[in-house]
Amino acid sequence: MSLVSQAVHAAACDPPAMASSLLHCSDKLPFMNVETILHMKEGLGETSYAQNSSLQRRGMDTLRSLIINSAADVYLSQMPERFAVADLGCSSGPNALCLAEDIIGSIGRICCRSSRPPPEFSVLLNDLPTNDFNTIFFSLPEFTDRLKAAAKSDEWGHPMVFLSGVPGSFYGRLFPAKSVHFVCSCSSLHWLSQVPPGLFDEMNKPINKGKMYISSTSPLSVPMAYLRQFQRDFSLFLKSRAAEVFPGGRMVLAMLGRQADGYIDRRTTFLWELLSESFASLVEQGLVEEDKVDAYNVPFYAPSIGEIEEEVRREGSFRLDYVQTYEINLSSSGDAKEDGRTVSMAIRAIQESMLSHHFGPEIVDALFAKYTELVTASMEREEVKSVQIGVVLTRL
């Protein structure tokens, strides 16, 4: 390895396309600004995202070959001297660099077989400004050592790899025009830029009382509000990437989604239902105010394939090459207690920043003790699964 260069820079293009608040609530409830509050649990401790992201890794592994082959195809079609790879919603921990490492290794081996020098690689890691980029950069020596070992083993030379952290919302511009060859995003695009407007009536009363996401008891206006927010966000995502990706460049996107035609897919809503039940238990114990629970809604939407296809067609800058659903079994070990804890800790690592801001940090331990209990009991009765959608897009 000749050089691995590290840099952190702010995106100096358009401002991030985030709404000012994440939670729509009354004046008496906490205001949440997504860019200053939302982040995966930082650090390397027991409850950190770095220690509790195995479920996301499982989803990433499902599409690993699709991601690597798509990146290699872009390189072969263009043979650039500098190859730029962007990972949007990289988060932190062991998952943050693994795809970049695999892509670099794959292209390096291609160059070796054709007796070409490898390109210089620009690896652009993006997440919100509150992301724990430091944990990623602490792992750079190990990343460098693995690349060196792979290059030596496969005899594909000594590539130059420049690594940058790019804080900002991917619902807006992040990179200069026509500067990126390949974009990947795993387990991120189901997160919206904000909780949708329209979840409170004209009297500021919640219309989805007792629930934080779409459920079987939700009035139709709730899923319609979420769909409209997804349409706005995903369209803006595509428009922003269209400006940044070279013609012929590709994106591979993986997000939680639904296979069902309707808005309710139990594999998507089930874990949110259990979290709502956990809050109901805390309300009964007097640990949380019911009004606060009713005012908490998650900025999440699991789209269908049809909804994704429609926004790609409407925006018009990308060709849809591939789209497929994948079912992921969350009850994988055969031990309901172990699987229940794994799922609960993963949800905690994702949700804790928002929950602590809205309810206060003192309720988090009790909440997830109950949540672990409910998830484990469910896994003792049945297999718990989720649905992931994989999408490959080519810039026209």
Side-chain angles (χ1 to χ4, degrees):
M1 179 66 60
S2 299
L3 173 66
V4 173
S5 175
Q6 170 186 340
V8 182
H9 63 274
C13 303
D14 295 345
M18 287 287 186
S20 60
S21 68
L22 181 63
L23 296 181
H24 295 266
C25 52
S26 71
D27 293 339
K28 295 181 180 180
L29 295 172
F31 172 85
M32 184 183 290
N33 184 299
V34 67
E35 294 207 51
T36 60
I37 300 300
L38 176 58
H39 59 84
M40 306 300 101
K41 181 66 174 178
E42 70 281 355
L44 296 170
E46 181 183 1
T47 61
S48 69
Y49 181 82
Q51 299 295 330
N52 295 283
S53 53
S54 61
L55 296 181
Q56 289 83 350
R57 179 62 174 260
R58 201 179 305 165
M60 186 184 298
D61 287 344
T62 302
L63 295 175
R64 181 178 297 275
S65 61
L66 183 65
I67 293 169
I68 295 169
N69 292 338
S70 296
D73 287 345
V74 173
Y75 173 74
L76 286 169
S77 68
Q78 303 194 10
M79 293 289 189
E81 294 183 356
R82 179 191 64 86
F83 191 76
V85 178
D87 185 344
L88 307 186
C90 65
S91 194
S92 60
N95 296 345
L97 291 170
C98 62
L99 287 177
E101 181 180 337
D102 289 341
I103 291 169
I104 292 169
S106 176
I107 293 175
R109 288 187 290 275
I110 289 171
C111 293
C112 179
R113 289 194 295 269
S114 59
S115 300
R116 292 176 55 90
E120 292 185 349
F121 292 94
S122 175
V123 178
L124 308 165
L125 301 177
N126 157 258
D127 213 309
L128 291 174
T130 47
N131 183 57
D132 184 10
F133 286 99
N134 282 340
T135 295
I136 300 175
F137 296 141
F138 283 142
S139 67
L140 274 182
E142 297 174 6
F143 173 71
T144 303
D145 289 344
R146 290 194 301 270
L147 286 179
K148 285 181 178 179
K152 182 178 180 180
S153 172
D154 296 332
E155 299 181 345
W156 47 267
H158 301 281
M160 299 281 282
V161 180
F162 299 89
L163 185 72
S164 300
V166 186
S169 167
F170 51 50
Y171 294 122
R173 287 289 302 277
L174 292 166
F175 314 113
K178 296 181 180 178
S179 64
V180 180
H181 297 92
F182 182 74
V183 173
C184 61
S185 179
C186 296
S187 299
S188 295
L189 277 164
H190 44 249
W191 294 108
L192 302 172
S193 68
Q194 63 173 47
V195 168
L199 298 181
F200 289 77
D201 63 20
E202 62 278 1
M203 301 298 292
N204 204 28
K205 299 293 184 181
I207 63 172
N208 200 29
K209 187 175 174 61
K211 305 294 182 181
M212 63 184 66
Y213 183 58
I214 301 165
S215 76
S216 58
T217 62
S218 301
L220 181 59
S221 55
V222 171
M224 292 304 298
Y226 273 96
L227 173 59
R228 286 191 296 269
Q229 187 64 51
F230 169 78
Q231 290 171 331
R232 286 191 291 267
D233 285 347
F234 194 52
S235 178
L236 187 52
F237 175 88
L238 294 172
K239 181 180 179 181
S240 300
R241 303 295 81 75
E244 299 162 352
V245 176
F246 284 105
R250 285 187 181 178
M251 299 198 296
V252 178
L253 313 175
M255 66 196 85
L256 294 178
R258 349 185 277 280
Q259 288 179 324
D261 292 332
Y263 293 109
I264 305 299
D265 186 326
R266 190 169 183 273
R267 291 161 298 184
T268 298
T269 61
F270 183 60
L271 293 178
W272 293 120
E273 292 277 6
L274 293 184
L275 194 56
S276 293
E277 288 183 30
S278 302
F279 268 117
S281 176
L282 265 60
V283 169
E284 288 180 2
Q285 298 174 54
L287 299 178
V288 180
E289 296 174 13
E290 185 175 7
D291 287 347
K292 278 195 173 184
V293 174
D294 291 340
Y296 187 76
N297 297 289
V298 291
F300 171 93
Y301 185 70
S304 67
I305 284 180
E307 290 163 356
I308 293 171
E309 290 174 333
E310 174 61 20
E311 291 312 305
V312 172
R313 183 199 62 77
R314 186 179 300 170
E315 196 281 327
S317 299
F318 291 89
R319 181 182 73 237
L320 181 62
D321 295 329
Y322 175 89
V323 60
Q324 183 65 50
T325 58
Y326 301 85
E327 193 172 66
I328 299 173
N329 188 357
L330 305 183
S331 306
S332 58
S333 75
D335 183 334
K337 186 174 182 179
E338 178 182 338
D339 290 333
R341 184 181 185 279
T342 297
V343 170
S344 179
M345 293 294 282
I347 299 299
R348 175 173 180 163
I350 295 166
Q351 284 279 297
E352 185 165 349
S353 64
M354 293 185 286
L355 292 168
S356 293
H357 181 82
H358 187 74
F359 297 99
E362 62 276 2
I363 65 100
V364 173
D365 286 343
L367 175 67
F368 281 97
K370 182 62 178 180
Y371 188 62
T372 301
E373 176 187 320
L374 293 176
V375 174
T376 300
S378 298
M379 288 183 160
E380 287 173 345
R381 294 191 302 269
E382 61 183 311
E383 288 187 337
V384 176
K385 300 179 179 181
S386 66
V387 174
Q388 180 173 251
I389 298 179
V391 184
V392 180
L393 302 169
T394 298
R395 178 68 170 96
L396 298 173

